[in-house]
C-alpha cells in the first residue's frame, strides 16, 4: 500500500511569504505528526493530531506556524511571514494510534528554502 | 524535560566490523518508550525498534541488537558484521506517556555511520 506522501518535495520561497505544506497519511491512520529537521540535526516535534484535533501543539515555534487536519486525514502545515530560519526539511508521520503500540511511518519530507 | 543524547556524531568502520551506537536519555516519567530509526541517504526515516520502560530485555534481530539499561539510562544499538548498506544516520528517540497516548518523539542529533568496503 501507499506510504505517507508529502507535497511539494521542494519549496523555495522568499522571506515574508506564506507557504503551505501538505501531508497525506497512510489510509486508516488516526494519528498524524509534523516534525522539522534542520541540517545535521534530529527531527524536532512540532504538532500531533489525533483525528481532526490537535492533541499537542507544544512544539510549534511561534504563532507564524499553524496546522490543520479538517477531515481527519490530510493535513496542511501553514507558515506565515516566512523567515530564513524556517529553512529545513518538514517531515510528516502517521500511525494507527499511540506510539507505545504503533510504529510511526514517516514521509519523504518537504525541503523548504527561504531566501 | 525529556532529552536524548547521541554523543557520537560520526563513526567510520570497515565492513564486517561490529559497531555500537550509543544513546543516553533523560526523562522524569516512569513510563516511556525508546526508539531507533535509520535515515539512509534517500532521507526517509525507517523504524527499527520500539522499547517500553518496563521491558529491559535485550533484543536481537538478525545482525542488529539493542541493549537497554535503565540503571544508566542508555539504549545502545549494535550492528554485528557491518555491511556497506548499513551506512546511514541513526537516530535514537524517546516518547513519554502523558496518559493521553501518542506523544511526539524527542530525537537525538543522530550518529552518522559510515561503513567502508
Amino acid at each position: 500500500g501507499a506510504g505517507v506522501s508529502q507535497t511539494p518535495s521542494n519549496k523555495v520561497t522568499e522571506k515574508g511569504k506564506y507557504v503551505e505544506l501538505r501531508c497525506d497519511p497512510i489510509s486508516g491512520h488516526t494519528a498524524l505528526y509534523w516534525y522539522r529537521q534542520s541540517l545535521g540535526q534530529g527531527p524536532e516535534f512540532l504538532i500531533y493530531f489525533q483525528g481532526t484535533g490537535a492533541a499537542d501543539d507544544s512544539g510549534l515555534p511561534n504563532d507564524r506556524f499553524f496546522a490543520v487536519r479538517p477531515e481527519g486525514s490530510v493535513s496542511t502545515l501553514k507558515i506565515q511571514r516566512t523567515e530564513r530560519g524556517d529553512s529545513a526539511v518538514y517531515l510528516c508521520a502517521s500511525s494507527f494510534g499511540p506510539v507505545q503500540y504503533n510504529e510511526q511511518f514517516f514521509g519523504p519530507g518537504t525541503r523548504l528554502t527561504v531566501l | 524535560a525529556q532529552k536524548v543524547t547521541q554523543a557520537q556524531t560520526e563513526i567510520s568502520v570497515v565492513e564486517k566490523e561490529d559497531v555500537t551506537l550509543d544513546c543516553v536519555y533523560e526523562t522524569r516519567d516512569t513510563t516511556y518508550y525508546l526508539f531507533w530509526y535509520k535515515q539512509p541517504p534517500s532521507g526517509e526515516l525507517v523504524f527499527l525498534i520500539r522499547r517500553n520502560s518496563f521491558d529491559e530485555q535485550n533484543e536481537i534481530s538478525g545482525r542488529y541488537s539493542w541493549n537497554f539499561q535503565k540503571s544508566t539510562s542508555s539504549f545502545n544499538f549494535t550492528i554485528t558484521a557491518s555491511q556497506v548498506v548499513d551506512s546511514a544516520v541513526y537516530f535514537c528517540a524517546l516518547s513519554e506517556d502523558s496518559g493521553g497516548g501518542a506523544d511526539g518523539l524527542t530525537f537525538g542529533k543522530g550518529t552518522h555511520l559510515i561503513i567502508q568496503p
Side-chain angles (χ1 to χ4, degrees), chain A residues 97-108:
Chain A
V99 293
Q100 51 264 50
Y101 309 121
N102 301 279
E103 174 187 344
Q104 282 188 22
F105 293 83
F106 281 81

PDB file of all heavy atoms in Angstrom, chain A residues 97-108:
ATOM      1  N   GLY A  97      -2.217   4.741  15.993  1.00  0.00           N
ATOM      2  CA  GLY A  97      -2.612   5.294  17.280  1.00  0.00           C
ATOM      3  C   GLY A  97      -1.394   5.589  18.100  1.00  0.00           C
ATOM      4  O   GLY A  97      -0.362   5.972  17.556  1.00  0.00           O
ATOM      5  N   PRO A  98      -1.492   5.409  19.394  1.00  0.00           N
ATOM      6  CA  PRO A  98      -0.399   5.793  20.286  1.00  0.00           C
ATOM      7  C   PRO A  98       0.936   5.135  19.960  1.00  0.00           C
ATOM      8  O   PRO A  98       0.988   3.970  19.594  1.00  0.00           O
ATOM      9  CB  PRO A  98      -0.909   5.318  21.659  1.00  0.00           C
ATOM     10  CG  PRO A  98      -2.376   5.340  21.533  1.00  0.00           C
ATOM     11  CD  PRO A  98      -2.670   4.948  20.114  1.00  0.00           C
ATOM     12  N   VAL A  99       2.005   5.908  20.124  1.00  0.00           N
ATOM     13  CA  VAL A  99       3.327   5.404  19.763  1.00  0.00           C
ATOM     14  C   VAL A  99       3.743   4.216  20.605  1.00  0.00           C
ATOM     15  O   VAL A  99       4.599   3.441  20.204  1.00  0.00           O
ATOM     16  CB  VAL A  99       4.426   6.486  19.869  1.00  0.00           C
ATOM     17  CG1 VAL A  99       4.224   7.546  18.831  1.00  0.00           C
ATOM     18  CG2 VAL A  99       4.506   7.057  21.262  1.00  0.00           C
ATOM     19  N   GLN A 100       3.128   4.065  21.778  1.00  0.00           N
ATOM     20  CA  GLN A 100       3.546   2.943  22.602  1.00  0.00           C
ATOM     21  C   GLN A 100       3.121   1.613  22.008  1.00  0.00           C
ATOM     22  O   GLN A 100       3.650   0.569  22.363  1.00  0.00           O
ATOM     23  CB  GLN A 100       3.036   3.069  24.037  1.00  0.00           C
ATOM     24  CG  GLN A 100       1.563   3.331  24.188  1.00  0.00           C
ATOM     25  CD  GLN A 100       1.279   4.803  24.350  1.00  0.00           C
ATOM     26  OE1 GLN A 100       1.751   5.612  23.578  1.00  0.00           O
ATOM     27  NE2 GLN A 100       0.478   5.144  25.334  1.00  0.00           N
ATOM     28  N   TYR A 101       2.164   1.647  21.104  1.00  0.00           N
ATOM     29  CA  TYR A 101       1.686   0.410  20.491  1.00  0.00           C
ATOM     30  C   TYR A 101       1.912   0.365  18.987  1.00  0.00           C
ATOM     31  O   TYR A 101       1.774  -0.687  18.380  1.00  0.00           O
ATOM     32  CB  TYR A 101       0.198   0.224  20.750  1.00  0.00           C
ATOM     33  CG  TYR A 101      -0.187   0.368  22.198  1.00  0.00           C
ATOM     34  CD1 TYR A 101      -1.097   1.335  22.601  1.00  0.00           C
ATOM     35  CD2 TYR A 101       0.369  -0.458  23.177  1.00  0.00           C
ATOM     36  CE1 TYR A 101      -1.440   1.475  23.928  1.00  0.00           C
ATOM     37  CE2 TYR A 101       0.029  -0.320  24.506  1.00  0.00           C
ATOM     38  CZ  TYR A 101      -0.880   0.644  24.883  1.00  0.00           C
ATOM     39  OH  TYR A 101      -1.212   0.789  26.186  1.00  0.00           O
ATOM     40  N   ASN A 102       2.179   1.504  18.402  1.00  0.00           N
ATOM     41  CA  ASN A 102       2.182   1.579  16.945  1.00  0.00           C
ATOM     42  C   ASN A 102       3.387   2.321  16.408  1.00  0.00           C
ATOM     43  O   ASN A 102       3.778   3.356  16.932  1.00  0.00           O
ATOM     44  CB  ASN A 102       0.913   2.289  16.461  1.00  0.00           C
ATOM     45  CG  ASN A 102      -0.342   1.576  16.901  1.00  0.00           C
ATOM     46  OD1 ASN A 102      -0.755   0.605  16.281  1.00  0.00           O
ATOM     47  ND2 ASN A 102      -0.942   2.040  17.984  1.00  0.00           N
ATOM     48  N   GLU A 103       3.916   1.814  15.334  1.00  0.00           N
ATOM     49  CA  GLU A 103       5.038   2.452  14.673  1.00  0.00           C
ATOM     50  C   GLU A 103       4.601   3.727  13.966  1.00  0.00           C
ATOM     51  O   GLU A 103       3.518   3.793  13.399  1.00  0.00           O
ATOM     52  CB  GLU A 103       5.614   1.485  13.646  1.00  0.00           C
ATOM     53  CG  GLU A 103       6.697   2.051  12.763  1.00  0.00           C
ATOM     54  CD  GLU A 103       7.083   1.085  11.669  1.00  0.00           C
ATOM     55  OE1 GLU A 103       6.741  -0.114  11.771  1.00  0.00           O
ATOM     56  OE2 GLU A 103       7.722   1.526  10.693  1.00  0.00           O
ATOM     57  N   GLN A 104       5.452   4.760  14.021  1.00  0.00           N
ATOM     58  CA  GLN A 104       5.231   5.957  13.221  1.00  0.00           C
ATOM     59  C   GLN A 104       5.896   5.753  11.867  1.00  0.00           C
ATOM     60  O   GLN A 104       7.078   5.443  11.808  1.00  0.00           O
ATOM     61  CB  GLN A 104       5.845   7.190  13.894  1.00  0.00           C
ATOM     62  CG  GLN A 104       5.031   7.753  15.030  1.00  0.00           C
ATOM     63  CD  GLN A 104       5.578   9.077  15.531  1.00  0.00           C
ATOM     64  OE1 GLN A 104       6.300   9.782  14.828  1.00  0.00           O
ATOM     65  NE2 GLN A 104       5.243   9.421  16.757  1.00  0.00           N
ATOM     66  N   PHE A 105       5.145   5.940  10.802  1.00  0.00           N
ATOM     67  CA  PHE A 105       5.677   5.858   9.448  1.00  0.00           C
ATOM     68  C   PHE A 105       5.925   7.279   8.951  1.00  0.00           C
ATOM     69  O   PHE A 105       5.014   8.100   8.962  1.00  0.00           O
ATOM     70  CB  PHE A 105       4.692   5.144   8.525  1.00  0.00           C
ATOM     71  CG  PHE A 105       4.503   3.694   8.844  1.00  0.00           C
ATOM     72  CD1 PHE A 105       3.621   3.295   9.830  1.00  0.00           C
ATOM     73  CD2 PHE A 105       5.211   2.729   8.154  1.00  0.00           C
ATOM     74  CE1 PHE A 105       3.443   1.944  10.130  1.00  0.00           C
ATOM     75  CE2 PHE A 105       5.041   1.383   8.439  1.00  0.00           C
ATOM     76  CZ  PHE A 105       4.163   0.996   9.430  1.00  0.00           C
ATOM     77  N   PHE A 106       7.125   7.521   8.478  1.00  0.00           N
ATOM     78  CA  PHE A 106       7.498   8.858   8.050  1.00  0.00           C
ATOM     79  C   PHE A 106       7.396   9.009   6.532  1.00  0.00           C
ATOM     80  O   PHE A 106       7.661   8.062   5.779  1.00  0.00           O
ATOM     81  CB  PHE A 106       8.933   9.184   8.476  1.00  0.00           C
ATOM     82  CG  PHE A 106       9.047   9.585   9.917  1.00  0.00           C
ATOM     83  CD1 PHE A 106       9.073   8.624  10.921  1.00  0.00           C
ATOM     84  CD2 PHE A 106       9.102  10.918  10.278  1.00  0.00           C
ATOM     85  CE1 PHE A 106       9.168   8.990  12.256  1.00  0.00           C
ATOM     86  CE2 PHE A 106       9.198  11.298  11.615  1.00  0.00           C
ATOM     87  CZ  PHE A 106       9.229  10.336  12.606  1.00  0.00           C
ATOM     88  N   GLY A 107       7.041  10.213   6.121  1.00  0.00           N
ATOM     89  CA  GLY A 107       7.058  10.554   4.711  1.00  0.00           C
ATOM     90  C   GLY A 107       8.441  11.020   4.291  1.00  0.00           C
ATOM     91  O   GLY A 107       9.339  11.132   5.126  1.00  0.00           O
ATOM     92  N   PRO A 108       8.624  11.317   3.006  1.00  0.00           N
ATOM     93  CA  PRO A 108       9.934  11.717   2.486  1.00  0.00           C
ATOM     94  C   PRO A 108      10.315  13.148   2.832  1.00  0.00           C
ATOM     95  O   PRO A 108      11.474  13.528   2.672  1.00  0.00           O
ATOM     96  CB  PRO A 108       9.777  11.553   0.976  1.00  0.00           C
ATOM     97  CG  PRO A 108       8.315  11.738   0.738  1.00  0.00           C
ATOM     98  CD  PRO A 108       7.623  11.184   1.949  1.00  0.00           C
TER      99      PRO A 108
END
